[in-house]
Amino acid sequence: MPHHCQRPTSRIRHALLGLASCGLLAVGSSAQADAMLHYVDDEGLESQILVRGEIVRMELNEAISGTSGYMLFDATTDTLTVVDDSEQTFTPLTREVMDEQMRAMTDMVSDLRRQMEQLPPEVRQQLEEQLGIGEEGFDADISTRATGEQREVGDFVCDEHEVLIGGEPQSIVCVAETDSLGLSEADFQTLGALMDRLYELSLSALEAGGPMASQMGASLLPRVDGIPLEVSERDGVTTRLAGLSTDELSSDLFRVPDSYAEKDLF
């Protein structure tokens, strides 16, 4: 799912927020099958998520992420990989690399806060808002709450749930019955592993209070029992499932071309 942001780190943030907005898909079938989910937001930006076995591929929208390519997630190694087709490079985001970047961000924010303590309160507040710095040491309490409302999205009926942070509504997700799209158990397991990792990374960024913390918090989505057909951010964009296919997908879509060179994250 696309998310509008032009910050320098939007490549990673787009992947985190976009995939987090898609939720966890729970299904009833156990047969092996590929899947392609097509999403579109209310400004016309499109995104696709492809699943095959233990690999997920998400197309990166160049206008949002700054990258013409895609991101791969391998559930067997818990590794995210950003593939840049324009530069013909790939960047593995292992757990160790991402955890190191989270620690570096926390240290950077702490140093920045110490420097900003010398500024007048109104100037400090303005800088925090401009830099997207959230509350330091924030203990994020993330939960969902059913609203009791139902509505139709395309050919499906879904139930509304609010996503709450610290008891305050941040977004609304409309969830369909778990067996309504007929996705496979293998797809469920792979997407579940991806969601666990992305939710963990997003939550760490929010609790660190680092850059983009407020935007990251608004797009967090805990596990939900069903298939999110629509996600509406508070005072933000709404993204809907526009199509689904379970046709077989080429294995070439789920690997890095041999000619691409590895590139460091920073």
Side-chain angles (χ1 to χ4, degrees):
M1 289 186 181
H3 188 94
H4 301 283
C5 178
Q6 299 298 330
R7 295 181 184 274
T9 53
S10 59
R11 176 182 303 184
I12 297 173
R13 179 174 176 267
H14 174 62
L16 294 177
L17 300 187
L19 285 171
S21 297
C22 293
L24 176 64
L25 308 184
V27 295
S29 171
S30 60
Q32 175 68 46
D34 299 343
M36 180 175 68
L37 294 90
H38 180 202
Y39 289 91
V40 60
D41 72 14
D42 52 12
E43 296 185 357
L45 287 177
E46 300 177 272
S47 61
Q48 290 189 147
I49 296 177
L50 287 68
V51 187
R52 191 171 202 266
E54 295 175 316
I55 307 293
V56 180
R57 168 176 169 145
M58 190 186 92
E59 304 296 329
L60 297 179
N61 190 310
E62 186 172 10
I64 300 169
S65 66
T67 298
S68 175
Y70 52 95
M71 174 171 277
L72 297 175
F73 172 73
D74 188 336
T76 61
T77 61
D78 195 33
T79 299
L80 294 158
T81 303
V82 175
V83 182
D84 190 325
D85 286 328
S86 59
E87 295 185 359
Q88 296 192 356
T89 60
F90 67 96
T91 303
L93 308 179
T94 64
R95 176 174 289 273
E96 292 74 20
V97 168
M98 293 304 294
D99 289 349
E100 180 181 347
Q101 293 305 318
M102 288 297 178
R103 289 192 295 270
M105 182 181 69
T106 301
D107 293 342
M108 177 196 69
V109 172
S110 295
D111 291 341
L112 185 58
R113 285 187 184 279
R114 283 193 291 270
Q115 297 175 32
M116 292 169 60
E117 286 177 356
Q118 309 302 319
L119 299 174
E122 62 275 9
V123 176
R124 184 167 64 248
Q125 180 180 357
Q126 183 178 11
L127 280 175
E128 288 177 349
E129 293 174 354
Q130 290 176 347
L131 297 173
I133 296 176
E135 182 180 351
E136 188 173 21
F138 175 63
D139 185 13
D141 178 19
I142 315 296
S143 61
T144 60
R145 179 176 63 197
T147 67
E149 298 292 328
Q150 281 190 332
R151 52 192 165 85
E152 294 183 359
V153 176
D155 296 329
F156 302 96
V157 175
C158 56
D159 299 300
E160 283 190 355
H161 295 261
E162 289 182 313
V163 178
L164 310 172
I165 298 182
E168 294 296 322
Q170 298 293 319
S171 61
I172 294 179
V173 56
C174 202
V175 183
E177 293 292 331
T178 56
D179 58 354
S180 63
L181 298 187
L183 300 178
S184 74
E185 180 65 22
D187 295 336
F188 161 70
Q189 295 293 341
T190 301
L191 286 168
L194 172 61
M195 288 305 303
D196 285 344
R197 184 57 176 145
L198 292 174
Y199 181 72
E200 177 187 339
L201 287 170
S202 299
L203 190 60
S204 296
L206 178 63
E207 292 180 338
M212 305 172 297
S214 59
Q215 295 91 340
M216 190 76 75
S219 298
L220 280 172
L221 183 62
R223 286 177 176 263
V224 290
D225 184 17
I227 303 166
L229 301 186
E230 182 177 284
V231 177
S232 300
E233 296 183 14
R234 186 182 65 178
D235 301 326
V237 297
T238 296
T239 307
R240 300 175 182 85
L241 180 68
L244 168 70
S245 170
T246 55
D247 294 342
E248 183 177 357
L249 298 168
S250 170
S251 59
D252 290 342
L253 295 170
F254 298 89
R255 67 178 185 86
V256 179
D258 294 336
S259 60
Y260 283 23
E262 185 171 349
K263 179 180 179 181
D264 290 336
L265 179 59
F266 296 107

